[in-house]
Amino acid sequence: GQLVESGGGLVQPGGSLRLSCAASGFTFRTYAMNWYRQAPGKGRELVAGISSTGISTNYADSVKGRFTISRDNARNTVYLQMNSLKPEDTAVYYCNARFSFVDYWGQGTQVTVSS
């Protein structure tokens, strides 16, 4: 399986970005999808997750009310809408697909929040 993230970049505090993750090579609709991030000098943390059907979502406390995860199973794509961005959101954001003991990871996309 392959995951390719896009949509990262430099944004000012308070701004918005939308990350996309295009999946291929596996049955996307059966996998839960997650977004993780890793800031410099820190471990990788779970930002948001969505069930295979899209019915259930979960978020880290630090992003609740600001970030929204969604998926389009017809397009094999998962999204992360990020609003009201803060400097502490600066990190490399990774897309993850998970089913049972199988994990796929993308290469990551850099998000930098700075004035």
Side-chain angles (χ1 to χ4, degrees):
Q2 185 176 13
L3 299 171
V4 179
E5 301 101 334
S6 61
L10 173 64
V11 63
Q12 292 187 342
S16 297
L17 281 175
R18 188 194 197 203
L19 304 183
S20 298
C21 172
S24 61
F26 62 97
T27 308
F28 178 78
R29 66 180 183 275
T30 65
Y31 279 66
M33 298 298 298
N34 304 290
W35 285 98
Y36 285 77
R37 67 185 180 188
Q38 187 165 17
K42 295 188 176 181
R44 192 171 293 190
E45 66 166 341
L46 178 64
V47 175
I50 188 167
S51 63
S52 59
T53 61
I55 292 175
S56 298
T57 58
N58 59 279
Y59 298 91
D61 287 343
S62 58
V63 307
K64 279 181 182 176
R66 300 188 298 123
F67 290 12
T68 302
I69 188 171
S70 61
R71 65 189 295 161
D72 185 341
N73 284 351
R75 296 178 183 271
N76 287 359
T77 303
V78 63
Y79 305 96
L80 185 67
Q81 178 67 44
M82 305 186 295
N83 299 328
S84 302
L85 282 160
K86 305 175 181 180
E88 50 264 43
D89 294 318
T90 295
V92 178
Y93 284 71
Y94 296 91
C95 178
N96 164 257
R98 181 165 296 144
F99 178 77
S100 186
F101 299 104
V102 178
D103 264 302
Y104 297 118
W105 291 90
Q107 82 289 348
T109 185
Q110 176 70 47
V111 172
T112 302
V113 185
S114 175
S115 55

